[in-house]
Amino acid sequence: MGVTSILEQWRSRNDFGRRFTAERVIPAREGSYRPFPPGVPERLRQVLAERGIDRLYSHQREAVDRIVEGESIVIVTPTASGKTLCYNLPVLTSLMENPETRALYLFPTKALAQDQYEELHSLIGDLNLAAATCTYDGDTPADARQAIRKEGHVVITNPDMLHTGILPHHTKWAAFFRNLRYVVMDEVHTYRGVFGSHMANLIRRLKRIVKFYGSTTQFICCSATIANPTELAESLCEVPMKLIAGNGAPASKKHFFFYNPPVINRELGIRKSAVTSARHLVAPFLKAGIQSLIFTTSRLNVEVLTRTLKDRFETALPGQERIRGYRGGYLPETRREIERGLREGELLAVVSTNALELGMDIGDLDVSILAGYPGSVAATYQQAGRAGRRKGISTAILIARSNPLDQFIVTHPDYFFGASPEHGRIHADNLLILLSHIQCAAFELPFEKGETFGGENLAEILQYLDEEGILHRSGERYHWMQDAYPANAVNLRNIPEQNFVVTDRTDAAAPVTLAEVDFTSAPTTLHEGAIYLCESKTYIVEKLDFGNRQAFVKRTGVDYYTDAMTYTQVRALKSFETAQSGSCDRSHGEVFVARKVTGFKKIRFFTSENLGYGEVNLPDLDLHTTAYWFTLPGELLGRLPFDPGAVIDGILGIAHALHHVAVLHLMCDVRDLDRAVGDREGAWSARPGRGIVRHGETEGPAEWTTFDPTLFLYDAYPGGIGFSARLYDLHERLLAETESMIRECSCREGCPSCVGPANEVGATAKESALAVLKVIRR
């Protein structure tokens, strides 16, 4: 039985239309081809012809032409469209013409870097070219690093290694930087939010060093489909970019399904687990021997689903280890073995986190199943694109979870299959991020008077660092003065704060350091009684030493995780823009946030059942950041046929849904944003089930004329990372999509898929939320 037969069986089922909310057939596409440009050496053409490449796709030819003309480019084409050749061809041509040419390849993961290394190394070997291609990362042996620094022509690395292992030691790389011509940045859509803001500063440091050695570089960027690839690439590299977007690669026919699991608890709005549904949906393909890839949203789900599939199918399959898991934390040799098994067809199925999402070559897959929306349209297409990369009919299935983001996507398929609405946003001049990289840059090279670095006033920052004893001014230069190595203290995926160290005291005689948690996340993940997850294992937090930034945990075998409940007050400090929209005022600007963790919920794995609550007593966490907000007129709210408490519950329900809708447009994680409902001046705030909270006391408003509730969506990082202006511009669309999500949800009183569980936000929250939206959108 093949893919087509299995799909026909599904279509014949009575519940097909209820469970499969959408099917899109992506037709096969013929390729658009162009000849090699005249400057490509004959020997290189011969080697490529031996690999079956005797001409270029149209976008490959356009990219090569632009690179030859000296332009920096950003290439935006789908998975398996041959983006690698867009940069390998001009790099190899330059190496053959000038052996002194150097190139730096940056990939966001070591696995992707290793895959690209094997491809390029093989090409150079077939060319008999005297050029060294090397990976330089944390797995590179110490004795090989010196040779790479001196002799490497193409160095393949990742941002973390560039940050800590290359730029701070640039004097050992002098020959490389003196001849550096190309900087290749693959998967640039992953460089967004905090990570992207760090990456932009890392590129500033790289350009500063390249300039010091008298070289000039071109940037070659590749991205998945997003709404603003040129803007993002230019923000990262701070050079003009030429967009290459016309895809000339052929594609096979693909069936793309959205699957919404059945509701198993209508009162709580809980649906059948996406992981359980994935197990059932992949079963007929595995029985038929059809190679499949299943993506899950957590490491724990990888282990659980792999174990289940092994128990059910592997004993009946010939051979050993036909079903494997794949995630971060596995040894490099294990990951390479699994990738090779997929590529060579030895494995029947692999269950993976998004670690296999990016462009490693894993061969001819027929089925890709996504157990949960990956968080962005771009990531969904990346994972779905792992099936049908070369030939034949393939299928991709997105399985929705109960949360609002997943439910919105599967119930609004036209939104997903339309033009990408997602914008990659960064804020490279976030003061904390900028300050950390200025210190790293000063360690690498002294700053000269009048030099620029970013958009802030560098002279003031250098003077501040001089006064703090971090830098020392000598004449017209600022020199690094500390014994510390600054890059080691800067995590590219977080805004610099002092991290909390998590220590495992299961064996009291031999405590073990497990991990570090960033300052902002610690109160919600490491409070006493919290379940801390690490390497798919569960630990209970016994003690949180806030002052010394330490948390002590012990292994436990519970079947639940914890979700912190927070009490948040937001006060608007400064509006950047304000406008009237319908019946409410919208703004974006600076805010002050005071957040306190007051308790936590115990949520059962897979079913999301609430098992109980616990109390927490921690100090307030203050945050100065940016936000988008709108104020609802109390006079209009007072006319609604609900008591004030029910209206507040409705507004909190709107905030719950709006938060998830906003994430769709920002291409960020739900945790990168946070929400609050309260007074614009911070005099009171609203909490689910508690009504109005003023100065720690619970009370309800006596008259609506004295209350004009404000709904805030704020960046969850100090200084903000650039989301608020975009949300301000999208105000009308956000409200329309939020109303649609709530109205079209099948629940009666509220559930996790729309306004939140009815037992938390109140039995009338859904009805009052729709009434409020109707009033304010007039």
Side-chain angles (χ1 to χ4, degrees), residues 350-585:
V350 168
V351 184
S352 176
T353 60
N354 62 359
L356 275 178
E357 174 184 308
L358 302 180
M360 295 95 74
D361 181 11
I362 53 174
D364 299 317
L365 298 176
D366 297 306
V367 177
S368 180
I369 295 178
L370 287 59
Y373 180 61
S376 71
V377 174
T380 305
Y381 275 119
Q382 290 279 101
Q383 293 184 8
R386 296 317 238 147
R389 288 167 60 89
R390 289 187 172 85
K391 59 184 179 181
I393 294 176
S394 62
T395 189
I397 306 164
L398 171 62
I399 305 171
R401 294 165 295 177
S402 296
N403 67 48
L405 203 56
D406 290 44
Q407 289 300 309
F408 183 87
I409 288 294
V410 298
T411 56
H412 296 78
D414 291 339
Y415 174 93
F416 178 88
F417 289 107
S420 172
E422 300 169 325
H423 288 71
R425 298 289 179 186
I426 66 171
H427 182 23
D429 290 329
N430 174 290
L431 193 55
L432 289 175
I433 294 176
L434 180 65
L435 186 63
S436 66
H437 284 277
I438 287 174
Q439 293 178 65
C440 294
F443 176 88
E444 293 153 6
L445 289 171
F447 274 102
E448 304 277 353
K449 182 180 179 181
E451 190 174 346
T452 60
F453 190 97
E456 297 293 325
N457 188 325
L458 181 61
E460 289 185 3
I461 296 175
L462 294 177
Q463 182 179 346
Y464 163 76
L465 293 173
D466 179 30
E467 293 170 354
E468 293 293 314
I470 296 171
L471 302 183
H472 172 69
R473 181 174 180 177
S474 176
E476 301 297 308
R477 291 186 171 186
Y478 289 85
H479 298 264
W480 179 256
M481 286 295 294
Q482 299 286 300
D483 293 332
Y485 180 52
N488 278 346
V490 179
N491 185 327
L492 296 184
R493 287 152 182 83
N494 287 304
I495 288 183
E497 292 275 7
Q498 188 175 355
N499 288 349
F500 283 71
V501 177
V502 182
T503 302
D504 178 13
R505 295 197 302 195
T506 304
D507 183 353
V512 177
T513 299
L514 276 183
E516 291 188 359
V517 174
D518 65 274
F519 180 86
T520 304
S521 301
T524 56
T525 58
L526 295 177
H527 57 78
E528 293 178 8
I531 298 301
Y532 180 71
L533 294 169
C534 184
E535 298 283 344
S536 302
K537 300 172 184 175
T538 53
Y539 300 81
I540 188 166
V541 179
E542 295 187 317
K543 180 181 178 182
L544 176 61
D545 185 346
F546 206 90
N548 292 316
R549 304 293 192 260
Q550 285 187 305
F552 300 97
V553 303
K554 183 180 286 188
R555 280 293 305 275
T556 183
V558 298
D559 63 345
Y560 65 88
Y561 62 95
T562 51
D563 184 20
M565 298 183 295
T566 59
Y567 159 66
T568 304
Q569 285 183 298
V570 182
R571 183 172 77 252
L573 299 177
K574 180 181 179 181
S575 297
F576 299 149
E577 289 182 271
T578 300
Q580 182 77 22
S581 296
S583 301
C584 60
D585 295 325

Side-chain angles (χ1 to χ4, degrees), residues 101-265:
T101 298
R102 299 293 187 269
L104 178 68
Y105 284 23
L106 289 171
F107 297 97
T109 67
K110 289 191 290 186
L112 186 54
Q114 183 66 31
D115 184 72
Q116 296 295 317
Y117 163 77
E118 293 176 0
E119 169 72 16
L120 185 58
H121 184 71
S122 175
L123 272 172
I124 288 177
D126 290 349
L127 287 167
N128 294 319
L129 189 61
T133 304
C134 320
T135 55
Y136 195 85
D137 56 32
D139 297 330
T140 304
D143 57 352
R145 296 190 179 192
Q146 183 176 357
I148 294 172
R149 290 192 290 263
K150 291 183 177 180
E151 302 172 9
H153 289 79
V154 180
V155 174
I156 303 172
T157 189
N158 55 69
D160 302 279
M161 199 64 183
L162 179 65
H163 168 56
T164 60
I166 296 178
L167 296 185
H169 309 288
H170 62 87
T171 54
K172 299 178 180 179
W173 294 80
F176 181 82
F177 284 119
R178 198 173 291 119
N179 295 284
L180 182 59
R181 181 172 174 183
Y182 301 107
V183 176
V184 174
M185 296 171 59
D186 201 4
E187 311 290 352
V188 296
H189 63 282
T190 64
Y191 301 129
R192 57 188 189 269
V194 172
F195 187 25
S197 302
H198 276 292
M199 190 67 186
N201 281 282
L202 187 61
I203 297 300
R204 287 169 175 171
R205 288 163 52 197
L206 171 63
K207 290 167 66 178
R208 188 168 178 258
I209 287 173
V210 169
K211 181 180 179 181
F212 174 77
Y213 286 100
S215 187
T216 303
T217 61
Q218 283 177 258
F219 289 90
I220 305 170
C221 300
C222 300
S223 173
T225 302
I226 59 174
N228 64 333
T230 307
E231 177 190 359
L232 179 59
E234 290 181 344
S235 297
L236 288 166
C237 303
E238 296 181 330
V239 297
M241 289 278 175
K242 174 64 180 179
L243 176 66
I244 310 294
N247 179 25
S252 60
K253 185 177 181 180
K254 176 179 289 184
H255 295 263
F256 202 143
F257 293 92
F258 284 179
Y259 180 87
N260 205 9
V263 175
I264 58 176
N265 188 321

